[in-house]
Amino acid sequence: MSRKNKREHTSDQLPKLGIQPYLDLMEKTALQNTDRKLAHLGLLMLWLGDNAIDAIDLNLETFGITESKWDVLLLLTLHEDRELITPSSLADRLGIRRASVTALLDWLEKRHWIIREQSTLDGRKIHVKLTQEGRELVARALPVFWSACSSIMSDLEEEERMLLEKILMKLNRSMEEKLGVGR
Amino acid sequence: MSRKNKREHTSDQLPKLGIQPYLDLMEKTALQNTDRKLAHLGLLMLWLGDNAIDAIDLNLETFGITESKWDVLLLLTLHEDRELITPSSLADRLGIRRASVTALLDWLEKRHWIIREQSTLDGRKIHVKLTQEGRELVARALPVFWSACSSIMSDLEEEERMLLEKILMKLNRSMEEKLGVGR
DNA sequence: GATTTTAGTTAGATAATCTAATTATATACA
DNA sequence: TGTATATAATTAGATTATCTAACTAAAATC
């Protein structure tokens, strides 16, 4: 009767450990000058980020698009009528190579959500634009996207939200500086 | 002299918009019942999560491994000597298919960081274990991993840390429930 | 006008995932 | 005891998202 682990002969599921074993491991293996509290927070942030991305992906799936494609569509939407959008500028902003953008655009163009137009001023450049169909897709996806964003964060008390907002904005700023990226 | 946008003829970089245009777009396109404040937080969390993952990946690169492989190695480390680890149980815990685990394990085995041993009790099952070399790799990577985790979160005041810890743990719990996953 | 730079694409590779089919073993049932 | 079913792992073949290196065309430099 002293058996705690019923699973032993019935299934090989790994038990959920929770965070404690991670913290124990950290205690044993982190450098002396690593701040444990901060590392703990960073680990949580990593997990949470993973989960947040999964949750959003799940919602975008409904529209047959992935996060990468959504990023492109969002950039096109936000910069539409403001500046000329080229594959290079997308690559730059997305932090990926031009060749990778070519692949994304091929995919989006095949589905008639974007078009490429050669620049008349500079024959090397391509203007990337949303089509009407593309605009409609974005219009359908946006409400779902926002609601998915908000559902990640539900369950927070009013006070927690205010604090979190301040902290997240600060973190985001410092992280962008470190990585040299930005939105 | 009234030109504000010097870029116009010199480069096609997309300007960094910051968060405001996103919030404006949200105002126009979110459903009525979507809580704007929460969606704003969710968006920040998404960005931050992306950046956090990039930062960690950058550090793991030094060791020639990616996040997926690191996840496997960490699970093997934490469950070593506690329970039998099979490809199935890894798939289950990682939230991916058994076939995907086979591919990850093939890669790790080729580099002699893990071995596969057939179970004597149940011929269908495989025990996955770290090799000595694998354990050494993990031992080298762990200090870097923790310090990367902590560096994501540096710049926070003492008070902010305490608040954030509480909030992140709560969010993580509720998110895991929603997605039905866990560590 | 020749050289260099820039923009975009192509070709070919790797990584991480998937589904469906296959193989071997174990379990259930009749 | 056999046959049918279920489970574990792998294989085969595909897709997506990346990359680097090489290439083409156009523009800029000198």
Side-chain angles (χ1 to χ4, degrees):
Chain A
M1 288 295 117
S2 69
R3 289 299 269 320
K4 279 195 289 191
N5 192 359
K6 269 203 208 154
R7 250 182 261 93
E8 209 151 351
H9 284 88
T10 54
S11 137
D12 284 339
Q13 288 217 334
L14 293 177
K16 289 182 187 175
L17 299 173
I19 199 158
Q20 196 52 52
Y22 287 85
L23 299 180
D24 295 345
L25 184 61
M26 186 198 306
E27 211 44 66
K28 283 189 294 185
T29 59
L31 297 172
Q32 270 201 325
N33 64 7
T34 294
D35 182 316
R36 267 65 173 167
K37 281 279 179 203
L38 285 185
H40 175 186
L41 283 177
L43 185 64
L44 281 173
M45 180 58 78
L46 201 60
W47 290 358
L48 209 48
D50 257 354
N51 288 336
I53 290 167
D54 285 353
I56 299 292
D57 280 352
L58 224 53
N59 283 279
L60 292 178
E61 240 170 47
T62 328
F63 301 96
I65 48 177
T66 55
E67 220 203 335
S68 310
K69 273 112 183 194
W70 179 242
D71 287 344
V72 173
L73 294 172
L74 254 192
L75 279 180
L76 289 171
T77 301
L78 286 165
H79 290 274
E80 190 163 48
D81 309 322
R82 298 176 66 148
E83 34 261 324
L84 299 180
I85 304 170
T86 61
S88 281
S89 64
L90 285 171
D92 190 59
R93 172 48 51 85
L94 294 169
I96 59 178
R97 295 293 171 168
R98 289 199 307 267
S100 310
V101 172
T102 297
L104 290 173
L105 294 179
D106 286 347
W107 192 96
L108 291 167
E109 194 176 37
K110 199 159 42 171
R111 280 153 188 85
H112 312 294
W113 288 332
I114 61 136
I115 41 164
R116 290 191 251 221
E117 280 174 9
Q118 186 131 24
S119 167
T120 45
L121 289 171
D122 183 338
R124 292 168 303 182
K125 292 183 182 168
I126 296 275
H127 293 346
V128 182
K129 293 180 181 173
L130 283 173
T131 60
Q132 190 50 38
E133 269 181 87
R135 245 171 260 121
E136 283 161 18
L137 172 76
V138 171
R140 278 187 293 121
L142 274 168
V144 176
F145 177 70
W146 299 124
S147 108
C149 283
S150 96
S151 90
I152 296 174
M153 288 294 151
S154 55
D155 310 340
L156 287 187
E157 313 293 337
E158 180 58 26
E159 203 198 357
E160 291 171 324
R161 295 181 197 184
M162 315 242 299
L163 292 166
L164 191 57
E165 174 168 349
K166 233 184 88 208
I167 297 176
L168 289 187
M169 292 187 70
K170 180 170 177 179
L171 280 176
N172 205 49
R173 233 177 298 124
S174 80
M175 187 99 81
E176 289 191 348
E177 259 169 53
K178 257 177 222 153
L179 291 168
V181 299
R183 317 250 170 186
Chain B
M1 288 297 116
S2 69
R3 289 298 270 321
K4 279 194 290 191
N5 192 358
K6 267 202 206 154
R7 249 180 261 96
E8 208 151 352
H9 284 85
T10 53
S11 137
D12 283 337
Q13 288 217 333
L14 293 177
K16 288 183 189 176
L17 300 174
I19 199 157
Q20 196 52 52
Y22 287 85
L23 299 181
D24 296 345
L25 184 61
M26 187 199 306
E27 212 43 67
K28 284 189 293 185
T29 59
L31 297 172
Q32 272 201 325
N33 64 6
T34 295
D35 182 317
R36 267 67 174 166
K37 281 280 180 202
L38 284 185
H40 175 187
L41 283 177
L43 184 63
L44 281 174
M45 181 57 78
L46 201 60
W47 291 358
L48 209 48
D50 257 354
N51 288 335
I53 290 167
D54 285 353
I56 299 291
D57 279 352
L58 224 54
N59 283 279
L60 291 178
E61 239 170 48
T62 328
F63 301 95
I65 49 176
T66 55
E67 220 204 335
S68 310
K69 273 112 183 193
W70 179 242
D71 286 343
V72 173
L73 293 173
L74 255 191
L75 279 181
L76 289 171
T77 301
L78 286 165
H79 290 274
E80 191 164 46
D81 308 324
R82 298 175 67 148
E83 35 262 322
L84 299 180
I85 304 170
T86 61
S88 281
S89 65
L90 287 170
D92 190 60
R93 172 48 52 85
L94 294 168
I96 60 179
R97 296 294 170 167
R98 290 200 305 263
S100 310
V101 171
T102 297
L104 290 173
L105 294 178
D106 285 348
W107 191 96
L108 291 168
E109 194 175 37
K110 198 157 47 173
R111 279 150 188 86
H112 310 295
W113 288 331
I114 61 135
I115 40 163
R116 290 192 250 220
E117 279 174 9
Q118 184 131 23
S119 167
T120 44
L121 289 172
D122 184 337
R124 293 168 304 181
K125 292 182 182 168
I126 297 277
H127 293 347
V128 182
K129 294 180 182 175
L130 285 172
T131 60
Q132 188 52 37
E133 270 182 88
R135 243 171 261 122
E136 284 162 16
L137 171 76
V138 171
R140 277 186 294 121
L142 274 168
V144 175
F145 177 70
W146 300 123
S147 110
C149 284
S150 95
S151 90
I152 297 174
M153 289 291 152
S154 54
D155 310 340
L156 287 187
E157 314 293 339
E158 178 58 25
E159 204 198 356
E160 292 171 323
R161 295 181 198 184
M162 315 241 300
L163 292 166
L164 191 57
E165 176 168 347
K166 232 184 89 209
I167 297 176
L168 289 187
M169 290 186 69
K170 180 171 177 177
L171 281 175
N172 205 49
R173 233 176 299 123
S174 80
M175 186 101 81
E176 289 191 347
E177 259 168 54
K178 258 177 223 152
L179 291 168
V181 298
R183 315 250 173 189

